[in-house]
Amino acid sequence: MIIKEFSDFLKQNEEKPAVSLLFVWLKLKIESPAKSNVDRIIQKEIYIAKNKQGSSLFIGKSPSGRNLIQSLYNFALSFEQQKMARWIHKQKANDFKNCKDIDK
């Protein structure tokens, strides 16, 4: 349920890096009023810590919150890997014709 909603958010913003979008998505979910069960779960499980310079850090409030953050992060990484794999699959050998041989 949470991964599905995050996945939909990633698909709407595919041009940006998924890990950066994870930060944006979590911040939106935590700082805005809860509209769904996903929002409630995220707000209950994850805390945003901010320092004086304005930097933010997401902290799991419990072991399940830490697992949630880790799972979302891993999903973001796999989303990026899938985008790269699709891009490589669409390329033809001639597209790499001008690349210089690294071994020489």
Side-chain angles (χ1 to χ4, degrees):
M1 172 168 73
I2 296 171
I3 295 285
K4 168 80 170 99
E5 196 166 316
F6 179 52
S7 173
D8 293 341
F9 182 77
L10 288 176
K11 289 175 189 174
Q12 294 170 358
N13 301 286
E14 249 183 85
E15 68 282 348
K16 297 178 184 169
V19 175
S20 298
L21 289 172
L22 173 60
F23 173 81
V24 171
W25 185 74
L26 282 174
K27 193 169 179 170
L28 285 170
K29 294 291 181 183
I30 293 171
E31 291 181 347
S32 61
K35 298 175 187 168
S36 67
N37 285 337
V38 170
D39 297 349
R40 286 182 198 88
I41 291 169
I42 289 173
Q43 289 175 1
K44 183 171 174 72
E45 295 292 335
I46 300 173
Y47 175 75
I48 298 179
K50 296 180 184 178
N51 64 12
K52 292 178 183 177
Q53 289 81 19
S55 298
S56 300
L57 175 69
F58 293 104
I59 301 171
K61 294 179 181 178
S62 64
S64 61
R66 290 187 285 280
N67 287 339
L68 176 58
I69 292 171
Q70 185 67 43
S71 297
L72 288 167
Y73 179 74
N74 288 339
F75 183 80
L77 292 177
S78 69
F79 188 84
E80 282 298 314
Q81 290 171 350
Q82 183 183 26
K83 279 192 336 189
M84 179 59 84
R86 285 183 182 158
W87 179 82
I88 289 173
H89 184 71
K90 291 178 184 176
Q91 303 306 309
K92 298 178 180 138
N94 289 340
D95 294 338
F96 300 99
K97 183 176 157 181
N98 295 328
C99 293
K100 295 187 178 194
D101 194 4
I102 307 172
D103 295 333
K104 292 183 180 179

